[in-house]
Amino acid sequence: MSETLNKGQIRAQVETYLMNTSTDVNSLSWSPTELDSYINEATFYTQQITQYYEEFSNIICTASVSTYTGPANAYQYERFTWDRDFLPQTNEYELDRDDPSWRSASPNNPFRFYFPQMAQQYQIVPYPTPSQDGISFIASQEFGAVAAFNTGGMNTLASDPFTQANGPLNPAKWTGDSSLTYSALKVLNNQCVPQVGNNLDNGSAMVYTGIVWPNNQWAQFTVGNLGSVTQPWENDFQLVLRSNSDLSNCYAMEMDMNSPVGAATSEITLNIYFGDNVTPFSTPIDLVNLVINSGDVFLFTVVGNVLSMYQNGNLVAPPFVDNRIASGSAGIFENTFLGAAQASAVINFTGGGFSSADSNYQFIQETGIVIGFADTNGSLIGFRPDVVANPFTLISGELGELQVYSTDELNLGVCFTRIPDTMVLDTDTPQLPPNTHFALVLYALMKCFVREGEFQDLQEATEWFTAYGDWMESVLENKARRWPTRVKSLEPFEEGSLFAKRLQAVGYPMQLDLKPSYGA
Amino acid sequence: MSIQNYALSNFRTEVKTRLNEVQNDGLWTTSELNSYINHAHLRVVMDSRILERDIAITVAANVSFYSLPPDTLTPQWMYGPSLWGTLRLFPSFLLSLDKQYGGMYQWEKDSSNQSQVFVPFSYDKFILWPAPSAATTVNLHDVPMPATLTLDTDTTLLPLVAQRCISIFAAYLAMLKSDKQKAKNFKNEYKQRMTSVLELTRHQSKDRPSIMAPGRSFDRSMANPSIRAFRNSRRYY
């Protein structure tokens, strides 16, 4: 019960106040979706009031290109630099006034900037137009991020290219499902395929028992044949990690081929089987409308409690953390439903563990994972966690790994107040300090009673907004007292209500007049 | 003689008494009341800023961007390690650093050295300038978030005078669910009590006044690079 509240906890508190806690969703006066939208609005409004959340960004400059696009998540810009030098803002009027030929000026080092238009993503024009390309780094073989320094590299301990006579898989390596729920895989034309004619529920699965698998393990195969699929049936093949003998406890990376195969119709899911080898205990990742081609290489890894899925070397989703299954073997599951004219097939199975830890590198949140930059002089920020994929997830060191990195060197550096990211999962936490989180409950309650309908009660809404304002006054007082020796104003006056002042700047959250002094 | 020190269960008992729901759970469940008590606990610390501490933050060579401790509520000041002579680090602004030496100083291109100032950034970050040239620690003096009260026996570090305010504000939060007018009474009582807390703790404040009084009899402001840069800027002369 920390004061750091995530979206689910905020909604639970709103529902408790509303006594809107029935398990029958249809009986609820305010649906979870509606409440979530209020909580997200509350987060944005509170950010407008406090302007707490700030961010840096770089915009890579290209020689002789005049116009650039600002970050999509900028709420208000605070400072621009070019090559780490402050760029004062100007506008077309000043430029026309001071230098009538500025439009034909040749590219050079920029010393001003202006906004030619201020749409959702501002356009930014540095003046003069940059004459050289900015420094940028792109993930590549040279600079590419290493998956996990703390676990070392991948060791191959198991392999089966399936180049053998048609028939059962090598029994020295593979063992079938001990519960007999699934039939055994077989080799056909040097490819691993399921038994033909399975019913709709089951498939073919085997566990690689030719080695003792380390707990940190990986498995990989190549798609040999996508097979053919007639809707509504699908083909699928899965990489299995940490499996027991009947596959009732295991992690599975499942690739589903829907019709037409080879088009953007495929699906990749992460299934956790726990106590049941037919129905997953949970499916925390489900990616749809993907393209899977013959020859694609799929890799599935588990290091500690972090599960990662790769297609052709690229992470397909943010790594997922799960603590349920600690050990077991890798394996393969394949299924061809009735109606599929040809089974999908895989080749070149490999698997193994990870070499011993490299103690020279240690992940800390401030510095991220070092990925080999020769030149960090131009960067105001040395390293920072990668928040591109999921800004709310900072669980694992691997998630802090940088894929793309750019510096302020010969580029536009931007400092701005952020638009908070929209919270989707219940575990997403507002990007505001914890002392504002409870205020979001009060704001959402106000929104509940403002909404048109049988429960509309503007008096009630006003009361909740007053409660929100009271809490926010304390938050803003706290904000004003941060760094007390920092010069914030040369005005020799104590400020009055900080919240009222911000309300004047931002406005009320709706057209309805909720100003408390106007109460009946 | 013992002095009363509220545990979570004591807070809850008092809140239930105020709500006139002394015996069993009715409109308010125990976990609900516990959550209001913890919100109130935070609110009292926010309003009184009584709890303070010094905490070390590890800094790395050539890295200028750092996170505040996750449980920092109100950061107050920083001082450097003995490696830097334990000198105070002054807060500044990016734009203030830009104005140094009439705006001609390219401070972002400066090499790493002993840090002199820091720039608070976002709600949980700060930038050290110059970037430290060696791994060390800087010391932050802050008001921390209060520890969450989970067990019925958990107690707060707040003094008794402030502890009384927790149950009043928790009663306010709980009563919002039932009767807004009665809730207002609790809030008003809380505000009155909080004044007495601030009055008692005022003398312990180590902060300078937040307003700049006219007169130069005790003006150390030029020691603050933020102000020095501000005054050196021709634009404001």
Side-chain angles (χ1 to χ4, degrees):
Chain A
M1 200 201 322
S2 161
E3 290 305 299
T4 301
L5 304 176
N6 62 33
K7 179 167 74 68
Q9 290 167 321
I10 292 171
R11 193 179 64 238
Q13 298 205 13
V14 173
E15 287 171 333
T16 303
Y17 268 124
L18 293 170
M19 292 182 269
N20 186 65
T21 54
S22 169
T23 52
D24 177 7
V25 178
N26 294 322
S27 75
L28 296 176
S29 307
W30 296 274
S31 70
T33 309
E34 181 184 354
L35 296 179
D36 284 352
S37 76
Y38 296 155
I39 294 165
N40 272 309
E41 182 188 316
T43 306
F44 180 51
Y45 188 76
T46 305
Q47 163 68 354
Q48 284 186 290
I49 292 287
T50 61
Q51 299 190 307
Y52 253 132
Y53 185 24
E54 296 171 293
E55 181 70 290
F56 285 115
S57 185
N58 305 102
I59 300 171
I60 307 298
C61 289
T62 306
S64 301
V65 172
S66 63
T67 306
Y68 298 89
T69 304
N73 51 15
Y75 170 64
Q76 187 171 1
Y77 290 96
E78 294 175 352
R79 175 177 180 260
F80 275 84
T81 58
W82 179 80
D83 194 25
R84 297 157 285 164
D85 282 340
F86 175 64
L87 279 188
Q89 186 177 3
T90 186
N91 55 38
E92 284 107 322
Y93 169 76
E94 285 183 353
L95 290 166
D96 282 329
R97 182 192 63 193
D98 298 338
D99 181 4
S101 59
W102 69 274
R103 289 187 176 82
S104 54
S106 55
N108 207 326
N109 292 344
F111 53 84
R112 291 283 189 279
F113 83 96
Y114 66 94
F115 296 120
Q117 61 107 327
M118 294 178 261
Q120 190 165 23
Q121 281 180 265
Y122 281 32
Q123 284 194 349
I124 299 152
V125 175
Y127 172 77
T129 298
S131 59
Q132 46 191 328
D133 291 340
I135 304 294
S136 67
F137 299 93
I138 300 169
S140 69
Q141 290 295 326
E142 277 85 10
F143 295 117
V146 178
F149 275 115
N150 61 345
T151 55
M154 289 159 54
N155 288 339
T156 302
L157 303 173
S159 69
D160 193 339
F162 305 119
T163 49
Q164 62 170 72
N166 290 349
L169 267 59
N170 183 349
K173 296 180 176 178
W174 297 92
T175 304
D177 166 24
S178 63
S179 72
L180 303 179
T181 308
Y182 300 107
S183 56
L185 293 159
K186 66 177 183 179
V187 172
L188 180 65
N189 300 329
N190 295 326
Q191 295 184 328
C192 177
V193 297
Q195 296 289 344
V196 177
N198 288 315
N199 62 34
L200 293 178
D201 294 324
N202 301 335
S204 302
M206 296 186 88
V207 177
Y208 194 103
T209 49
I211 63 163
V212 176
W213 288 85
N215 293 341
N216 290 338
Q217 58 187 244
W218 60 272
Q220 170 178 298
F221 58 42
T222 304
V223 180
N225 195 325
L226 293 172
S228 64
V229 181
T230 305
Q231 292 285 32
W233 316 117
E234 62 176 26
N235 284 340
D236 66 70
F237 35 75
Q238 306 183 21
L239 281 165
V240 173
L241 292 178
R242 288 187 183 168
S243 177
N244 57 359
S245 62
D246 66 356
L247 294 100
S248 59
N249 284 351
C250 66
Y251 297 117
M253 173 188 182
E254 176 177 351
M255 281 65 70
D256 291 330
M257 253 65 58
N258 295 304
S259 176
V261 293
T265 55
S266 299
E267 192 174 347
I268 297 179
T269 54
L270 173 63
N271 294 317
I272 300 172
Y273 289 88
F274 197 61
D276 187 334
N277 65 359
V278 176
T279 306
F281 173 80
S282 72
T283 302
I285 296 175
D286 190 353
L287 308 164
V288 298
N289 299 330
L290 304 176
V291 175
I292 293 178
N293 290 312
S294 186
D296 280 1
V297 177
F298 288 97
L299 167 66
F300 188 27
T301 70
V302 57
V303 178
N305 58 2
V306 180
L307 295 151
S308 305
M309 306 190 293
Y310 300 83
Q311 180 180 13
N312 297 325
N314 299 317
L315 201 61
V316 298
F320 185 78
V321 174
D322 186 84
N323 290 305
R324 285 185 186 81
I325 306 166
S327 62
S329 304
I332 299 176
F333 177 103
E334 289 187 65
N335 203 355
T336 295
F337 288 108
L338 289 173
Q342 185 187 2
S344 54
V346 301
I347 56 175
N348 291 337
F349 174 87
T350 51
F354 296 88
S355 61
S356 58
D358 185 340
S359 59
N360 291 327
Y361 294 94
Q362 187 181 14
F363 177 80
I364 59 170
Q365 193 169 329
E366 274 87 10
T367 54
I369 294 176
V370 179
I371 55 178
F373 295 114
D375 174 12
T376 56
N377 284 333
S379 63
L380 181 64
I381 309 163
F383 300 93
R384 59 182 174 177
D386 174 20
V387 293
V388 176
N390 183 344
F392 299 102
T393 309
L394 285 172
I395 302 167
S396 142
E398 285 184 89
L399 297 176
E401 148 195 337
L402 280 164
Q403 301 282 345
V404 180
Y405 181 79
S406 58
T407 79
D408 288 355
E409 204 169 351
L410 300 178
N411 292 317
L412 291 170
V414 191
C415 169
F416 55 97
T417 311
R418 267 289 300 268
I419 296 174
D421 294 287
T422 304
M423 295 179 284
V424 179
L425 302 175
D426 276 356
T427 51
D428 294 345
T429 304
Q431 290 156 321
L432 290 168
N435 64 344
T436 63
H437 291 182
F438 179 64
L440 308 181
V441 173
L442 304 169
Y443 184 97
L445 284 160
M446 176 274 289
K447 289 289 295 183
C448 289
F449 289 104
V450 161
R451 192 250 282 162
E452 183 65 40
E454 59 181 318
F455 290 101
Q456 187 184 49
D457 186 335
L458 298 185
Q459 177 109 20
E460 191 82 351
T462 307
E463 299 289 356
W464 284 118
F465 191 70
T466 305
Y468 169 80
D470 174 64
W471 190 277
M472 288 306 298
E473 183 69 42
S474 179
V475 167
L476 291 171
E477 180 70 29
N478 220 267
K479 184 168 186 273
R481 287 177 182 272
R482 288 180 148 228
W483 311 114
T485 56
R486 189 189 197 196
V487 177
K488 300 180 180 76
S489 165
L490 293 178
E491 294 292 326
F493 303 109
E494 283 279 13
E495 294 185 274
S497 166
L498 299 169
F499 182 63
K501 194 174 137 196
R502 289 301 302 153
L503 267 186
Q504 275 191 332
V506 176
Y508 291 93
M510 63 204 63
Q511 294 302 314
L512 290 165
D513 190 352
L514 291 174
K515 195 172 180 182
S517 60
Y518 286 7
Chain B
M1 289 283 286
S2 64
I3 293 175
Q4 186 175 7
N5 191 23
Y6 281 71
L8 176 60
S9 60
N10 303 129
F11 283 128
R12 202 172 54 242
T13 302
E14 190 163 313
V15 172
K16 286 168 82 87
T17 304
R18 285 174 170 273
L19 298 173
N20 194 26
E21 193 175 88
V22 181
Q23 292 300 321
N24 301 315
D25 287 352
L27 184 59
W28 299 276
T29 64
T30 298
S31 69
E32 198 179 332
L33 291 177
N34 287 351
S35 101
Y36 296 146
I37 289 164
N38 275 299
H39 292 328
H41 190 195
L42 169 63
R43 176 61 185 260
V44 170
V45 174
M46 282 164 67
D47 287 347
S48 66
R49 297 169 296 279
I50 288 178
L51 306 178
E52 296 187 21
R53 67 170 178 186
D54 274 14
I55 184 168
I57 299 172
T58 303
V59 299
N62 302 316
V63 176
S64 54
F65 195 59
Y66 296 96
S67 295
L68 295 171
D71 62 341
T72 288
L73 176 65
T74 313
Q76 299 205 313
W77 67 82
M78 262 195 230
Y79 59 95
S82 54
L83 184 68
W84 300 347
T86 53
L87 293 176
R88 188 157 177 145
L89 299 172
F90 287 96
S92 188
F93 297 85
L94 295 177
L95 294 177
S96 178
L97 294 174
D98 289 331
K99 282 182 181 174
Q100 291 180 98
Y101 304 102
M104 300 301 289
Y105 188 52
Q106 297 179 319
W107 66 274
E108 275 201 59
K109 296 179 183 175
D110 207 3
S111 55
S112 60
N113 206 328
Q114 175 179 319
S115 301
Q116 295 173 26
V117 300
F118 65 95
V119 176
F121 188 76
S122 197
Y123 58 90
D124 58 350
K125 304 280 194 304
F126 67 94
I127 299 160
L128 283 176
W129 178 78
S133 53
T136 181
T137 55
V138 295
N139 303 290
L140 171 71
H141 186 92
D142 69 354
V143 177
M145 298 273 290
T148 305
L149 306 177
T150 310
L151 303 174
D152 272 359
T153 51
D154 285 351
T155 54
T156 167
L157 294 173
L158 290 170
L160 181 60
V161 62
Q163 288 180 24
R164 304 301 290 259
C165 295
I166 294 177
S167 49
I168 303 172
F169 199 80
Y172 156 68
L173 293 178
M175 191 55 93
L176 281 174
K177 187 176 175 183
S178 170
D179 188 325
K180 301 287 187 300
Q181 294 306 316
K182 289 181 181 173
K184 268 183 192 166
N185 291 338
F186 287 134
K187 188 172 78 173
N188 292 340
E189 186 183 352
Y190 169 78
K191 301 265 177 187
Q192 287 169 358
R193 287 298 191 107
M194 186 46 68
T195 306
S196 72
V197 176
L198 294 176
E199 180 62 30
L200 277 175
T201 56
R202 189 186 303 278
H203 302 298
Q204 294 163 31
S205 171
K206 291 179 282 292
D207 304 339
R208 289 180 65 197
S210 58
I211 56 168
M212 290 189 68
R216 300 281 172 95
S217 59
F218 184 70
D219 186 4
R220 290 192 63 248
S221 61
M222 290 297 277
N224 184 335
S226 170
I227 299 176
R228 193 167 64 223
F230 192 79
R231 294 201 174 155
N232 284 345
S233 165
R234 268 179 295 173
R235 188 170 175 183
Y236 288 92
Y237 270 131

